Amino acid sequence: MGHSILIDFIYRILPFRAWKGRLLRNHMESCPGCRKRLVSREEARLLLVQVDDVGDLDRFWPSIKEKLGEKTRKGEKSSFSKPAMAKIWRLAVAAVTVLLIAAAVNFWLFRKPRPEKSLQGGPSPAETEQVQIHYVKIDNEPAQTFIFQPRDSNIIIVWAGKNI
Amino acid sequence: MEDNDWITACLRGNGEEFKKIVDKYKASAMAVAMNILGNREDAEDACQETFIQIFRNLEHFDARLSFRNWLYAILFHRCLDVLKKKRRFRNLTSKVKNESSGRFATEAYNPEEKRHLSQHILKQLSPKERTALCLWANEGFTAVEVSEVLRCSASTARVYLFNARRKIRQFLEKSHGTLDPH
């Protein structure tokens, strides 16, 4: 009796429910004296509502049947219950969102850089016919060479100058 | 095994087979709900909603598990929902304090008084403790089975049970009362 008062006191002062539970469980499982002080099954039954006390349940099934509705009564229950449909919708929305995010990331990260335009603003070399000059000589001496194409024009001007 | 047969029949589209399940469990489910909720009207609503939820989710039932435990787990959560709604409503209106009647089996009392007294004692317990106690005492559940219904560990279920049994004993000792069927 004395130690059960001590246990009660410790139980009250313990701050966390988990600790209280642990104390109670460990003590009750190892102390026959305290277990005897617990309410027995038979005593507990006296407090509880029993199956016999429930009384008349004649309207129970008709009410359920009514609530389930005409469809379920005829066995035409939808193959997807409401919670299942909600789950499918959630999954579909999540999948669409993931796809949209993936498409956006793909667009911004992996798009090809636009070809730079020439300094003069004309079409880039890739867009025009390539002009290549391998070698220019003036008076049997290598010469400086400049290639120039005016904006919006197909004319290409090659200017060679003698190295001084 | 017969539960699973009825479930299979229901899943095949034979909705009337569900009546057999309802008939088998309605009384015990009502008793559990009445013990948790404390009144018949709420208990009946919670039970009906439970059976409707079960019917709509039969395809999710794992036949390897106990149908009875599954049913009580759903019922327990339905009852918790009802209690939450009632608590919210009560907070909006006013707080009702129950005062101890102080009368126990040492005095003669009629069944109505006994019911009132039982409800008063049971109100000292949390819903989880009430459920654990009810399943253990009325249905003969073990702590492991109680844990399946409450969806907690077996040791936690054991704590709920110990607490419930201990609280009742302490309450009775404090009030110098005993539990007597007569």
Side-chain angles (χ1 to χ4, degrees):
Chain A
M1 186 69 186
H3 83 280
S4 70
I5 294 169
L6 179 70
I7 291 293
D8 272 350
F9 175 72
I10 299 170
Y11 183 84
R12 273 195 207 112
I13 60 167
L14 281 178
F16 302 114
R17 200 186 288 174
W19 293 3
K20 286 177 188 235
R22 201 182 172 87
L23 169 82
L24 194 68
R25 198 176 65 240
N26 289 346
H27 183 71
M28 290 296 176
E29 280 170 0
S30 60
C31 178
C34 283
R35 263 161 67 170
K36 268 186 191 168
R37 290 187 65 238
L38 296 173
V39 164
S40 69
R41 253 194 180 116
E42 290 70 31
E43 285 175 310
R45 266 187 218 134
L46 297 173
L47 290 172
L48 297 164
V49 175
Q50 301 295 309
V51 172
D52 299 335
D53 303 331
V54 168
D56 181 34
L57 288 172
D58 291 344
R59 283 290 308 153
F60 198 78
W61 172 246
S63 302
I64 291 174
K65 208 174 171 183
E66 210 171 283
K67 284 180 186 171
L68 281 170
E70 275 300 314
K71 269 189 181 177
T72 42
R73 230 180 292 161
K74 288 174 185 170
E76 293 170 4
K77 194 164 82 82
S78 146
S79 55
F80 293 108
S81 60
K82 266 188 184 173
M85 278 306 285
K87 200 175 176 183
I88 288 167
W89 271 110
R90 272 201 298 274
L91 280 173
V93 169
V96 168
T97 311
V98 167
L99 281 175
L100 284 173
I101 291 169
V105 167
N106 187 47
F107 179 75
W108 289 108
L109 287 183
F110 302 108
R111 66 179 175 159
K112 282 185 183 170
R114 293 179 72 183
E116 284 177 27
K117 291 194 171 178
S118 61
L119 286 173
Q120 291 81 6
S124 67
E127 290 168 327
T128 58
E129 280 182 47
Q130 270 196 331
V131 174
Q132 283 186 328
I133 295 168
H134 294 287
Y135 199 74
V136 174
K137 270 185 174 182
I138 298 175
D139 292 340
N140 280 329
E141 293 278 325
Q144 276 187 323
T145 312
F146 303 95
I147 300 169
F148 176 70
Q149 184 178 25
R151 186 183 291 181
D152 301 330
S153 167
N154 288 330
I155 299 165
I156 295 170
I157 298 163
V158 179
W159 181 9
K162 192 177 177 182
N163 280 330
I164 300 166
Chain B
M1 194 60 203
E2 65 181 4
D3 286 347
N4 287 346
D5 293 340
W6 290 337
I7 291 165
T8 312
C10 285
L11 289 173
R12 282 186 192 137
N14 189 356
E16 287 297 324
E17 286 293 303
F18 190 65
K19 185 179 182 297
K20 290 177 184 167
I21 297 176
V22 173
D23 285 343
K24 182 178 174 185
Y25 289 106
K26 65 182 179 187
S28 50
M30 272 294 289
V32 171
M34 280 168 79
N35 282 316
I36 301 172
L37 296 171
N39 75 76
R40 196 192 155 90
E41 293 74 30
D42 289 341
E44 202 163 336
D45 283 346
C47 281
Q48 286 183 355
E49 290 300 320
T50 299
F51 281 113
I52 288 167
Q53 192 177 337
I54 283 171
F55 183 77
R56 288 186 175 151
N57 290 284
L58 268 180
E59 66 260 36
H60 301 304
F61 171 65
D62 185 350
R64 289 167 298 178
L65 303 175
S66 156
F67 176 77
R68 182 185 65 158
N69 293 3
W70 188 57
L71 183 149
Y72 286 138
I74 294 172
L75 177 65
F76 167 66
H77 285 94
R78 278 276 161 193
C79 291
L80 283 191
D81 288 344
V82 173
L83 287 174
K84 271 182 208 161
K85 271 182 208 164
K86 284 181 85 176
R87 205 175 301 143
R88 250 178 265 143
F89 179 74
R90 217 181 303 142
N91 288 344
L92 281 172
T93 53
S94 63
K95 282 183 180 177
V96 179
K97 267 193 172 182
N98 288 310
E99 287 175 8
S100 171
S101 64
R103 284 184 298 176
F104 285 90
T106 46
E107 297 174 33
Y109 55 83
N110 63 36
E112 190 53 39
E113 279 180 312
K114 182 199 163 198
R115 200 181 66 83
H116 175 76
L117 171 67
S118 304
Q119 282 306 315
H120 183 63
I121 296 174
L122 288 176
K123 272 183 185 169
Q124 313 298 315
L125 312 179
S126 74
K128 282 182 180 174
E129 289 166 351
R130 278 203 295 272
T131 311
L133 185 79
C134 170
L135 294 174
W136 172 77
N138 277 2
E139 305 289 324
F141 272 44
T142 61
V144 176
E145 287 172 317
V146 171
S147 73
E148 281 174 26
V149 172
L150 301 184
R151 292 185 186 150
C152 62
S153 67
S155 48
T156 309
R158 231 168 265 138
V159 171
Y160 288 136
L161 260 175
F162 284 142
N163 248 333
R165 295 167 67 192
R166 189 178 134 271
K167 278 182 187 175
I168 292 173
R169 173 66 73 211
Q170 280 181 347
F171 185 83
L172 293 173
E173 279 174 0
K174 218 190 273 177
S175 318
H176 310 291
T178 54
L179 290 164
D180 192 335
H182 305 296

